[in-house]
Amino acid sequence: MQEKGLLIVLSGPSGVGKGTVRKEIFSQPDTAFEYSVSATTRKPREGEVDGVDYFFKTREQFEEMIENDQLLEYAEYVGNYYGTPVEYVQQTLDAGKDVFLEIEVQGAGQVRRKFPEGLFIFLAPPSLSELENRIVTRGTETEDLIKGRMKAAREELEMMELYDYVVENDKVELACERVKAIVVAEHCRRERVQYRYKKMLEVD
Ligand code: 5GP
């Protein structure tokens, strides 16, 4: 029987740098897990490519995906839908490959309920003021939007409890190393590997 891949979920407050950490992880040639491209109703930003950064959808298309049960999870975030197409995740895990999701916290909560055996990693900011700083210096958002995001971030920080690991994003390279080390460790977890040794002993 094909051993299933690991479902890795990286989440955390908005502005904490999830996207940056994810991009850094996938720019490294030794990264052995597959990125699950999300669907969204938000408009593409400059340079974003459909099918690579996101599957860009209209609200109608997205709502159809919800109705047809095509999403593993979805959430409405700052006025737009974001969701994870379930088919790709299922097929990739069944093929024995690890799948990596980078999603906001409401969606991560839904995945936790459906896939309790997943690996849930919370990306944490070094401090709240640092978080505010990062959101403001991003410079692309209005004052109201920034306030909204900060309020959400405070609430989201309290959701750390639902995760298996916490990685501080003090430096992107360090955060990436920690995430990858956690994945390696998870593959060595006794519950995951013990059956192989049991099988070996049965052969004798
Ligand atoms: P952005 O618009 O900056 O690309 O993403 C906004 C937020 O949506 C980020 O926190 C990102 O992690 C989250 N996000 C991206 N894809 C998904 C998804 O498929 N599901 C959920 N729940 N959140 C997502």
Side-chain angles (χ1 to χ4, degrees), residues 23 47 75 79 94 102 120 122 128 150 161 178 181 183 191:
K23 281 183 191 139
D94 289 348
E102 178 251 299
F120 293 81
F122 189 88
L128 266 188
M150 278 308 294
E161 301 243 342
R178 292 177 193 129
V183 174
E191 293 90 324

Side-chain angles (χ1 to χ4, degrees), residues 10 12-15 18-19 35 37-40 42 45 48 54 73-75 77 82-85 102-108 138 149:
L10 181 73
S14 63
K18 297 187 290 293
Y35 177 57
V37 177
S38 297
T40 186
R42 103 152 149 65
R45 295 195 186 117
E48 285 186 333
Y54 282 104
E73 60 73 35
Y74 71 93
Y77 175 83
Y82 294 81
T84 303
E102 178 251 299
I103 60 179
E104 53 70 63
V105 290
Q106 299 169 59
R138 201 192 263 172
R149 286 199 181 208

Side-chain angles (χ1 to χ4, degrees), residues 145-158:
L145 233 138
I146 291 166
K147 282 203 181 119
R149 286 199 181 208
M150 278 308 294
K151 184 170 172 281
R154 284 206 175 79
E155 289 165 6
E156 286 167 350
L157 260 189
E158 287 158 17

